[in-house]
Amino acid sequence: MPAKETVVLVEHSTLEKLALMEIRGRVILVFSRLDFISSTGLGIVISLHKRLQTEGGELVLRDMNPEILEVFQITKLHTFLKIEFPGQ
């Protein structure tokens, strides 16, 4: 049976809810509607990544605007988080 795939369109309120959600398998976070991410938001993404990895799942980040991508690059999070770009 293929692994479950969950796609979440990320908004500021969604990020806070992600910390409480019981999602498993392959989780795709779509950042196209997010124009800012706080340190709390980054922490939630990191925690979700660690939990999914421990459970054999995968976290994929998609459709980041350049400003959000820059935050992930400056913090070096792009070195261990899977970030996909359009056409990939």
Side-chain angles (χ1 to χ4, degrees):
M1 183 166 80
K4 180 181 174 185
E5 183 172 281
T6 303
V7 178
V8 179
L9 182 58
V10 177
E11 295 176 337
H12 292 288
S13 61
T14 314
L15 264 177
E16 294 171 4
K17 292 175 188 172
L18 273 175
L20 305 173
M21 294 172 66
E22 290 295 323
I23 47 181
R24 292 177 170 41
R26 185 170 198 253
V27 177
I28 300 169
L29 301 183
V30 180
F31 282 81
S32 59
R33 290 193 181 172
L34 198 68
D35 57 359
F36 168 81
I37 188 163
S38 67
S39 57
T40 301
L42 291 174
I44 291 168
V45 171
I46 293 166
S47 294
L48 181 60
H49 167 74
K50 287 180 180 180
R51 183 169 54 87
L52 288 169
Q53 193 173 41
T54 300
E55 298 171 353
E58 176 182 33
L59 179 64
V60 179
L61 312 178
R62 283 192 185 156
D63 298 334
M64 290 183 180
N65 69 36
E67 292 81 14
I68 299 289
L69 178 60
E70 184 177 19
V71 171
F72 280 84
Q73 291 171 332
I74 288 170
T75 57
K76 306 289 188 215
L77 295 175
H78 72 290
T79 61
F80 66 89
L81 295 172
K82 184 173 184 177
I83 300 174
E84 291 183 350
F85 300 94
Q88 219 175 1

